[in-house]
Amino acid sequence: MVVEQSRDAAVELLAALSPELRAKITAPVDTPDHQTWTYLPGDRPGVTLGELSLEQRRLALRLLEIALSERGLADARAVMFTEAIRRSLPQSEPGSTVDLGSEQRYFLRILGDPSGFDPWAWRINGHHVALHVTFVAGAVGFTPQFFGAEPAMVLSGPHKGLRTLAAEQDLGFEFLNSLEAGQRELAIVSEKAPDDILTRFDPIADPKVLLRGLPYGELNPEQRQLFSLLIGQYIGRAAGPIGLQTWQDITEHGIERLTFAWAGATEPGGGHYYSIAGPTFLAEYDNTQDDANHIHSVWRDLRNDWGLDLLAAHYAAH
């Protein structure tokens, strides 16, 4: 369903664009810069949402609506709204009718031909949002995926108290506080949190940069349930079939091989960081910048970022 709906949405969007915009938004699926990405401010290849008409922007955002779960879409919109607050854009004014994304630099790109049978992909990138979705022979690659928030909590103005990506922090602390003394000794790998996620925006994530911490096998049933909820905060951003496939991959490759590592403050208010890592799954969360009010979070698939495993199997069969 996700594959077919995404293809139809991309074809409809491309048909609605002028030749100039269509040339700007498209590239071959094997374009050399496809794996170049960042969550920092700045320009990217593609077309910004603000360059599109209201109807074209609706078609573009349809791609997100299909690939993301209801919560994932809400998270993406919340990140964009928080960015508008940060920049004091009209979109953030109470009662504003300005369409979200109209004045922000979120770049959409479609790689390959969605109307054919060959692999294709779409991506949207901007400050604190990076989504990369790859389609290969009926299968979907959904990572790298990055969501951030600056500020994590609005400290003043009409939106004072608004929190973005709150569950990533709250579940992390809840899980940490569920650990017993010996477990915490394994889980807390440093008293100081790193300045950012350790895998950064590397094209291919290197799990060796992480300290592994507490193994899943050391958890009791209640802690395992909390740990599963924390993992679900990341994979639950994906549309149901994609999230279920990710969870199946985690379990098939050994959920007992997952580890949890914490660094920094053990209470909210100070800089803190955690990672979850296993044979296929990697998630990082960091909240250290701007007096611990600036979140970076990422989900990587160590086998299938950019659909690489899917692409390798496809090309081997053709």
Side-chain angles (χ1 to χ4, degrees), residues 44-65:
R44 281 77 155 154
V47 170
T48 67
L49 296 180
E51 293 176 78
L52 304 178
S53 69
L54 187 61
E55 175 60 18
Q56 291 167 340
R57 193 151 59 247
R58 183 190 68 79
L59 294 173
L61 292 175
R62 178 73 181 134
L63 291 168
L64 278 72
E65 294 168 0

Side-chain angles (χ1 to χ4, degrees), residues 22-152:
R22 195 177 308 120
K24 190 175 180 181
I25 204 171
T26 55
V29 75
D30 59 352
T31 189
D33 65 351
H34 178 36
Q35 295 179 27
T36 301
W37 72 288
T38 180
Y39 43 83
L40 303 177
D43 291 343
R44 281 77 155 154
V47 170
T48 67
L49 296 180
E51 293 176 78
L52 304 178
S53 69
L54 187 61
E55 175 60 18
Q56 291 167 340
R57 193 151 59 247
R58 183 190 68 79
L59 294 173
L61 292 175
R62 178 73 181 134
L63 291 168
L64 278 72
E65 294 168 0
I66 294 166
L68 294 170
S69 67
E70 183 176 345
R71 181 178 63 77
L73 182 62
D75 283 349
R77 290 184 175 276
V79 169
M80 293 179 180
F81 185 69
T82 302
E83 180 70 7
I85 293 173
R86 185 185 77 90
R87 295 176 57 198
S88 300
L89 295 178
Q91 297 169 30
S92 69
E93 295 178 1
S96 170
T97 59
V98 179
D99 189 59
L100 197 61
S102 61
E103 298 184 359
Q104 300 190 54
R105 302 188 68 74
Y106 292 105
F107 292 80
L108 179 66
R109 203 178 193 197
I110 296 176
L111 300 109
D113 181 6
S115 67
F117 298 98
D118 291 332
W120 69 282
W122 67 262
R123 57 185 283 169
I124 187 164
N125 290 90
H127 189 211
H128 285 156
V129 171
L131 300 173
H132 308 89
V133 186
T134 308
F135 302 89
V136 183
V140 184
F142 201 66
T143 54
Q145 182 198 105
F146 180 97
F147 282 15
E150 178 192 0

Side-chain angles (χ1 to χ4, degrees), residues 223-302:
Q223 292 166 341
R224 290 181 181 186
Q225 184 175 13
L226 277 175
F227 195 41
S228 296
L229 288 174
L230 185 56
I231 294 170
Q233 195 59 29
Y234 294 85
I235 66 177
R237 293 174 181 157
I242 302 171
L244 288 173
Q245 182 61 56
T246 301
W247 187 254
Q248 183 177 333
D249 288 344
I250 290 172
T251 55
E252 285 184 351
H253 287 83
I255 191 169
E256 71 281 354
R257 299 169 67 186
L258 289 175
T259 57
F260 174 85
W262 184 277
T266 56
E267 295 181 0
H272 57 282
Y273 162 96
Y274 65 78
S275 66
I276 304 168
T280 62
F281 176 82
L282 186 155
E284 286 188 274
Y285 166 98
D286 185 270
N287 187 354
T288 57
Q289 300 177 39
D290 299 325
D291 296 322
N293 195 30
H294 185 156
I295 290 171
H296 287 174
S297 72
V298 70
W299 164 21
R300 308 293 298 258
D301 186 325
L302 298 177

Side-chain angles (χ1 to χ4, degrees), residues 1-18:
M1 184 73 74
V2 172
V3 174
E4 292 80 6
Q5 289 182 338
S6 297
R7 179 193 62 215
D8 293 346
V11 169
E12 187 176 3
L13 170 62
L14 291 175
L17 300 179
S18 67

